[in-house]
Amino acid sequence: MQHLGVGIGWRPEIDTVVEGLDGVEWVEVVAENICPDHLPDSVRRLRERGTTVVPHGVSLGLGGAERPDPVRLAALAERARALGAPLVTEHIAFVRAGGPLTGTPALEAGHLLPVPHTRDALDVLCENVMIAQDALPVPLALENIAALLRWPDEELSEGEFLAELVERTGVGLLVDVANLHTNHVNRGTDPASTLDRLPLEAIVYVHVAGGVERDGVWHDTHAHPVSEPVLEVLAGLCSRLCPPGVLLERDDDFPPGTELAAELDAVRGTLTGTRREVRHV
Amino acid sequence: MSDSAGRTPAVGVEGARQRLALAQTALLSALVASTPVPGGFDPARIRVQTVALAAKRADIVAKVAPELPVILGADYRPAFVRYARSRPLPGGYRRDALAFVASLLDDQGGPAQPPGRREELASWWAERSGPAPLRAARASRVLRRLNPRTTLRATRGRAGRTPA
């Protein structure tokens, strides 16, 4: 798997901050927020410096019941080409429902919702992934999402579901360690047991992000600093196999560049096993 | 049986699609349209997820229509969450903002609005519900509230239309 190194999510609100951070080897952009004909100046400058840019989609809904929309797939493919990206990433999630298969109005979630870990959902997801792979010019990798709720009557664990998805489709994995922590708090899924089941060689990179616990529920806000339990899941992964890349996600309540730099240092320390306890902010 | 890329295509996926569609629609409908919680789900978690979806929608609407949190102040978020609880996203966040304001204007039984707010909301709605862009006079008023030193040379807008 291609080495990516340590990166950060590029967002318009922190564009020049990202450009000024030392040691950022790559960035991810939200695919739907990028116009391939008019790349933001900041993204263009990063590209000219040789920084790898990976488009990260949020609207395909590959875990939905419908086949993926060819127009959305073509848009993602176009962004991958415009950015010269080595791969594209999306989520294992459904984002809309209703419509022709149900005889009800189409509904948009406006967010990523968990797919049930059932045979039906896995069969549909695998076919959708293969349709997407055929439409994309570069390899696809999929991210495990954070869930507030769990489906009843699931037939597979998260680890089994992901392992079989990879085995049947050859899709890459983007492992979000913050989401593993989220699912630990919210659904009682032990991150270690999920990691034990995963085909680790399929991991293309890892997401790290901050969240907050309220009333026993972990909210994966991407608006708080990365906390110790999330870095512990990353350390647990690294003790098995060091991932080819790690990316820090921050989507709101943007701190100064110095704080983002400190979080990136904590990530690097975790990767090399030299991290000290992070201070609690 | 593998395809040329070494993958294993599923057989008979249509039935699975139909079953999955019904299950996902029942869940999403409970989350965004206040339909009954499907069997087996934890109703408390459904409520948490419902509020989280509405809160995220409120954040995005506040970005595409920044005047609304200014007009509504601290009432913006609770009012939006109340609106969103039973009204699915109507195809885009600008339309969501318009539908939200229309719901406030229609809501005779809702919480009492402070003096003048109804008129401000009606004016906001009227200026955005047609094909023409925001009139300069209105833009100027909103900008002045955001930053009192801002001045914008402006002409009076056309007469507003009433919400449908």
Side-chain angles (χ1 to χ4, degrees):
Chain A
M1 205 52 70
Q2 178 180 343
H3 172 84
L4 288 167
V6 174
I8 186 166
W10 181 93
R11 306 288 182 261
E13 295 90 339
I14 49 170
D15 54 355
T16 54
V17 172
V18 169
E19 283 180 67
L21 287 169
D22 285 332
V24 167
E25 295 168 82
W26 65 293
V27 298
E28 192 185 64
V29 295
V30 175
E32 286 79 357
N33 294 350
I34 291 284
C35 179
D37 299 334
H38 302 93
L39 293 180
D41 288 342
S42 170
V43 171
R44 241 189 3 247
R45 283 192 294 272
L46 285 165
R47 290 253 303 125
E48 282 162 10
R49 263 159 50 177
T51 307
T52 298
V53 183
V54 173
H56 183 53
V58 296
S59 67
L60 276 185
L62 291 173
E66 301 276 355
R67 286 176 175 73
D69 175 8
V71 175
R72 289 180 201 277
L73 278 174
L76 186 56
E78 200 183 351
R79 279 147 187 81
R81 284 191 207 94
L83 294 164
L87 77 161
V88 298
T89 54
E90 247 285 353
H91 298 85
I92 299 168
F94 80 101
V95 298
R96 58 187 68 84
L101 280 171
T102 62
T104 59
L107 288 173
E108 291 282 335
H111 194 62
L112 305 161
L113 293 174
V115 298
H117 294 146
T118 60
R119 289 274 152 211
D120 273 352
L122 184 59
D123 285 347
V124 171
L125 175 62
C126 286
E127 189 172 80
N128 286 352
V129 166
M130 288 189 242
I131 293 168
Q133 287 170 323
D134 291 342
L136 293 168
V138 290
L140 170 69
L142 293 182
E143 176 179 355
N144 58 305
I145 68 158
L148 289 171
L149 46 83
R150 79 174 303 154
W151 285 82
D153 306 322
E154 293 192 309
E155 297 159 337
L156 302 160
S157 71
E158 182 166 29
E160 289 166 342
F161 190 85
L162 294 174
E164 193 165 331
L165 168 68
V166 169
E167 192 184 328
R168 284 166 57 174
T169 65
V171 76
L173 288 180
L174 158 49
V175 171
D176 189 316
V177 290
N179 292 351
L180 290 179
H181 174 66
T182 306
N183 294 351
H184 188 200
V185 177
N186 295 353
R187 314 202 302 187
T189 315
D190 179 21
S193 69
T194 302
L195 290 176
D196 283 342
R197 286 288 303 154
L198 288 189
L200 299 176
E201 65 288 353
I203 297 177
V204 295
Y205 63 88
V206 170
H207 269 172
V208 175
V212 66
E213 191 167 334
R214 275 194 293 262
D215 303 327
V217 176
W218 185 267
H219 294 261
D220 181 48
T221 61
H222 296 192
H224 294 80
V226 176
S227 59
E228 192 60 30
V230 171
L231 290 176
E232 276 167 20
V233 181
L234 177 61
L237 171 59
C238 292
S239 71
R240 292 164 170 83
L241 183 76
C242 207
V246 180
L247 186 115
L248 173 66
E249 293 187 288
R250 184 71 180 235
D251 293 331
D252 214 340
D253 278 347
F254 296 102
T258 49
E259 281 184 36
L260 291 174
E263 289 189 58
L264 289 171
D265 281 342
V267 167
R268 286 187 196 98
T270 305
L271 289 174
T272 55
T274 58
R275 176 178 58 91
R276 283 165 298 169
E277 291 277 299
V278 284
R279 71 205 150 75
H280 287 278
V281 185
Chain B
M1 203 171 63
S2 305
D3 70 0
S4 59
R7 307 174 304 187
T8 317
V11 181
V13 175
E14 287 317 305
R17 285 193 186 278
Q18 187 105 50
R19 290 187 293 274
L20 184 63
L22 291 169
Q24 290 180 336
T25 302
L27 172 60
L28 184 52
S29 181
L31 293 172
V32 302
S34 279
T35 55
V37 175
F41 283 96
D42 174 1
R45 284 302 168 84
I46 295 278
R47 275 196 296 279
V48 172
Q49 181 73 77
T50 295
V51 171
L53 290 179
K56 182 172 180 187
R57 228 169 111 181
D59 287 342
I60 299 174
V61 166
K63 280 185 183 146
V64 303
E67 309 82 11
L68 296 180
V70 176
I71 295 172
L72 292 164
D75 295 337
Y76 170 72
R77 189 163 284 269
F80 189 90
V81 170
R82 202 161 45 239
Y83 149 82
R85 197 167 291 157
S86 58
R87 294 178 184 85
L89 190 63
Y93 291 95
R94 285 175 210 286
R95 278 178 61 187
D96 205 16
L98 280 166
F100 167 49
V101 171
S103 80
L104 292 178
L105 293 170
D106 284 345
D107 190 9
Q108 303 298 340
Q113 306 276 8
R117 181 183 282 177
R118 214 184 143 71
E119 289 68 28
E120 271 196 279
L121 290 171
S123 159
W124 184 93
W125 191 94
E127 284 162 3
R128 282 162 187 79
S129 56
L134 178 65
R135 304 297 293 203
R138 176 65 188 161
S140 172
R141 282 203 299 281
V142 169
L143 282 171
R144 268 202 305 276
R145 291 187 61 165
L146 292 167
N147 176 0
R149 283 174 300 178
T150 303
T151 52
L152 232 174
R153 293 189 65 80
T155 52
R156 295 299 301 169
R158 70 203 142 85
R161 275 160 290 168
T162 45

